[in-house]
Amino acid sequence: MRKVLLPILAAICVFVIGVFILNMQLWYSSSMDALGGARYAAKNMDNILNEAFQATGTAKRIAEKKCDLESQYQLGTEAALRPHLRTLIIIRQGKLWCTSLPGNRILLKQIPEIPDTNLLLASAQNTVNEIPVLLYQTQTQTHTQTSRIIVTISGVHIRGALNVPLKGVTYSLRVGDKVLGLLADVTDFTASAQQSGQVNSAKYPFSIIFEQPPLFSLKRLVTNGLGILIFILLISVAVAYAIDKYLNKNDTPEETLRRAIDKGEIVPFYQPIVDGRDGTLRGVEVLARWKHPRAGYISPASFIPVAEKSGLIVPLTQSLMRQVAANMNSIASKLSSGFHVGINFSASHITSPTFVQECLRYRDSFSRNDLNLVIEVTEREPLHVDDDLVQRLNTLHENGFVIALDDFGTGYSGLSYLHDLHIDYIKIDQSFVGRVNDLPDSTRILDCVLDLARKLSLSIVAEGVETKAQLDYLNKNNIVFLQGYYFYKPVTFTEFILILLSKPKVEVFVE
Ligand code: C2E
Ligand code: CA
Ligand code: CA
């Protein structure tokens, strides 16, 4: 388990760290961009206010003289020639003294109660054209009076200065506790996440405020870092692969098999069992195959012995039982009543404490209850028959299971237990069937084996039928259930479905 988890965890760690670094890098550069944009907007505003400062110089000189047509003309010229200025106003003793507009008018609805600040944002309500303005105010002391010189700057120019072409960041001008953004009127400043960044002008009492980019943004990662994100993903997979390779380089066959079982690489193949008289499908034998990622399908001969020796045969067979039940349930409507589904069980599994429970659970996992679930017990291995074993298999028989004795005739344990155990049928080993050919003597051993089976009143399935001669012999001897390459090789589940849906092979009929 550790060997499976470790590469996955390592891959997740590499991916998370990679994404973290990429995110911080993108956050830093977008923060720098946002800051750069704010500085740019502040510089634009400084340039505009520089115009106001210079125009104030002209207004100061006028304030020292008198407000006549010539003075108004000079103020008007000053406002007209400076690209961003709207009007110049001189106020004396709280009253309008001189303006750049003809007739000494102003474009403000009323002269605001101006505090002694250098800058003031006046909202749209205070202007005749309902566009907010920025007021730049300077006090000047002439020989007799104090005058205030006010230069007004239209919100249109301010918004032009704030309109930095930077995707996703908007800038606003803050003067005191008032704010003017790209849209809407002047508002009160409230410290919020939306306005978390601020750049102050070094020359004038205003600042540019903006929203700091969020620390983490999925959208930013995907739009600005998709290529690197894919690269990080590939690196993570490569790390997992390398660690997996390293951890498994010294694996024992048991460890390799254990992982294969965990990964679901041990899959069932199905070898059809047919009725030799008409070729109809009567059942299947489940045969384990190792679906190796590189080596392809591996024969059970190379891993069943390892599984039996290490005890892995139990989880291996359990995994097959689950897969077989799921496979059969998915084609349940296509199976004939009494269809045989045989699974091979090793002796060590049959004698394990949970065997009967496992089989009952396996039976209950089938959606059809009229199938013949066959337990194939091999005689090839020593089977220690005692009361416990007899009781187990008989319990299963009573619970609807069919017990088949596999590889009949090759056994170690003699025939004594055939009296005690309830065996439903025997499977004649392919080594006996394989000897049968056209020569009359070739059937001698098989004759004896069949004779013995008949004397013991056992039903028979013949395995390893490869030739027409063998088929004819078995048909003549009334052996109905046959299995072998003459009919079908063991096949994948998908291939088995195709066989199930096709017509029986006509050439199996006896002449
Ligand atoms: P078996 O139970 O006697 O299975 C029959 C074997 O004969 C299968 O070999 C099958 O592919 C092969 N066979 C079928 N028809 C013919 C034929 O016409 N000619 C020839 N030459 N061979 C034929 P396979 O699949 O390689 O399995 C070998 C053995 O491995 C099985 O012998 C069985 O003892 C064991 N085995 C397979 N799957 C499992 C399993 O899930 N659990 C256990 N415990 N043993 C299994
Ligand atoms: Ca078998
Ligand atoms: Ca067999």
Side-chain angles (χ1 to χ4, degrees):
M1 203 60 192
R2 198 178 65 92
K3 286 190 175 178
V4 178
L5 277 181
L6 210 63
I8 297 173
L9 283 178
I12 293 172
C13 279
V14 171
F15 187 73
V16 168
I17 292 170
V19 169
F20 175 76
I21 294 171
L22 174 64
N23 177 61
M24 292 315 284
Q25 180 68 45
L26 291 175
W27 171 77
Y28 180 74
S29 67
S30 53
S31 297
M32 285 298 114
D33 286 350
L35 194 65
R39 287 191 181 129
Y40 180 75
K43 204 165 134 250
N44 288 343
M45 282 306 304
D46 279 348
N47 288 340
I48 293 173
L49 288 169
N50 283 345
E51 287 178 21
F53 171 78
Q54 284 153 11
T56 300
T58 305
K60 271 186 187 167
R61 284 192 294 280
I62 288 165
E64 286 175 1
K65 295 187 271 174
K66 58 179 182 182
C67 182
D68 54 12
L69 276 179
E70 177 56 23
S71 303
Q72 277 193 291
Y73 172 74
Q74 279 179 25
L75 286 176
T77 309
E78 195 64 43
L81 294 183
R82 306 265 176 206
H84 298 103
L85 306 187
R86 198 158 81 166
T87 53
L88 287 160
I89 305 164
I90 304 172
I91 293 167
R92 193 167 280 174
Q93 288 177 333
K95 291 206 177 80
L96 189 69
W97 184 73
C98 205
T99 83
S100 60
L101 292 173
N104 240 358
R105 279 178 292 182
I106 55 168
L107 294 175
L108 295 169
K109 285 184 183 161
Q110 60 186 65
I111 296 170
E113 194 50 45
I114 300 180
D116 280 339
T117 53
N118 194 208
L119 287 177
L120 185 75
L121 273 170
S123 83
Q125 299 155 1
N126 291 326
T127 64
V128 289
N129 59 353
E130 300 195 332
I131 293 176
V133 289
L134 177 66
L135 309 182
Y136 174 79
Q137 173 188 242
T138 317
Q139 294 216 12
T140 180
Q141 196 65 41
T142 57
H143 34 327
T144 51
Q145 310 264 1
T146 303
S147 303
R148 287 168 186 246
I149 295 162
I150 296 175
V151 182
T152 65
I153 299 155
S154 169
V156 176
H157 297 308
I158 297 168
R159 284 173 173 153
L162 294 174
N163 197 5
V164 180
L166 198 64
K167 233 172 132 193
V169 191
T170 51
Y171 297 96
S172 303
L173 173 70
R174 177 184 170 191
V175 175
D177 59 354
K178 298 285 177 196
V179 173
L180 179 65
L182 279 181
L183 301 166
D185 197 3
V186 174
T187 54
D188 287 337
F189 173 76
T190 45
S192 70
Q194 263 84 49
Q195 296 162 343
S196 51
Q198 177 161 328
V199 165
N200 298 329
S201 164
K203 279 169 114 179
Y204 302 100
F206 74 85
S207 42
I208 301 295
I209 57 175
F210 58 98
E211 185 185 347
Q212 291 272 30
L215 206 55
F216 177 80
S217 159
L218 189 64
K219 194 172 154 214
R220 184 177 61 206
L221 267 177
V222 174
T223 43
N224 299 349
L226 187 63
I228 300 176
L229 216 54
I230 292 170
F231 181 68
I232 293 170
L233 191 68
L234 292 178
I235 294 279
S236 311
V237 172
V239 166
Y241 181 75
I243 293 179
D244 185 59
K245 269 251 146 319
Y246 178 77
L247 288 178
N248 297 320
K249 76 175 191 290
N250 294 324
D251 260 5
T252 59
E254 287 81 19
E255 283 170 328
T256 315
L257 181 60
R258 185 189 300 279
R259 269 188 308 111
I261 297 169
D262 289 345
K263 286 189 195 163
E265 286 176 8
I266 309 296
V267 297
F269 263 45
Y270 297 91
Q271 185 172 32
I273 297 169
V274 300
D275 183 327
R277 293 166 304 185
D278 59 9
T280 47
L281 205 57
R282 304 305 290 270
V284 280
E285 177 179 0
V286 174
L287 293 158
R289 293 289 181 275
W290 183 341
K291 193 179 175 188
H292 197 277
R294 285 183 300 280
Y297 287 111
I298 299 177
S299 150
S302 64
F303 62 88
I304 292 289
V306 176
E308 282 173 342
K309 224 171 80 194
S310 59
L312 287 171
I313 193 69
V314 175
L316 184 151
T317 313
Q318 287 170 344
S319 155
L320 282 180
M321 288 157 96
R322 281 192 296 273
Q323 295 179 66
V324 168
N327 284 171
M328 292 301 132
N329 286 343
S330 70
I331 52 166
S333 63
K334 302 278 175 235
L335 302 176
S336 54
S337 185
F339 192 84
H340 283 234
V341 181
I343 291 195
N344 294 286
F345 287 91
S346 293
S348 59
H349 192 180
I350 297 172
T351 50
S352 74
T354 55
F355 178 66
V356 173
Q357 271 78 39
E358 283 169 32
C359 287
L360 294 177
R361 227 177 300 130
Y362 167 64
R363 181 197 63 185
D364 294 343
S365 64
F366 278 79
S367 59
R368 287 266 302 264
N369 58 11
D370 60 341
L371 302 180
N372 275 332
L373 302 185
V374 184
I375 293 174
E376 293 197 13
V377 185
T378 184
E379 215 213 359
R380 212 179 300 149
E381 311 222 349
L383 189 64
H384 180 66
V385 181
D386 56 12
D387 287 351
D388 181 47
L389 184 95
V390 170
Q391 207 191 329
R392 278 157 191 259
L393 291 178
N394 288 350
T395 306
L396 290 174
H397 178 79
E398 283 153 22
N399 277 282
F401 284 90
V402 174
I403 314 291
L405 187 62
D406 206 359
D407 311 315
F408 182 72
T410 63
Y412 289 85
S413 32
L415 303 169
S416 57
Y417 57 81
L418 286 174
H419 291 294
D420 305 322
L421 277 180
H422 192 113
I423 302 284
D424 292 286
Y425 65 82
I426 57 161
K427 295 188 83 173
I428 301 283
D429 190 60
Q430 50 183 279
S431 60
F432 300 118
V433 178
R435 285 172 196 272
V436 176
N437 53 39
D438 292 326
L439 301 173
D441 272 2
S442 67
T443 62
R444 222 182 256 166
I445 297 180
L446 190 51
D447 287 338
C448 293
V449 176
L450 292 182
D451 196 39
L452 175 64
R454 283 197 202 97
K455 285 201 171 105
L456 293 166
S457 313
L458 296 167
S459 304
I460 298 166
V461 173
E463 287 188 317
V465 183
E466 289 185 345
T467 65
K468 184 79 169 58
Q470 291 162 1
L471 169 65
D472 291 344
Y473 169 84
L474 293 163
N475 274 328
K476 260 180 236 145
N477 280 280
N478 291 320
I479 310 298
V480 174
F481 293 118
L482 307 178
Q483 188 183 343
Y485 295 173
Y486 186 77
F487 304 101
Y488 301 102
K489 290 196 162 179
V491 293
T492 61
F493 179 56
T494 315
E495 287 167 320
F496 171 65
I497 295 175
L498 296 177
I499 292 171
L500 189 66
L501 298 177
S502 67
K503 293 236 152 49
K505 289 186 178 177
V506 180
E507 60 279 19
V508 300
F509 298 156
V510 204
E511 292 132 27

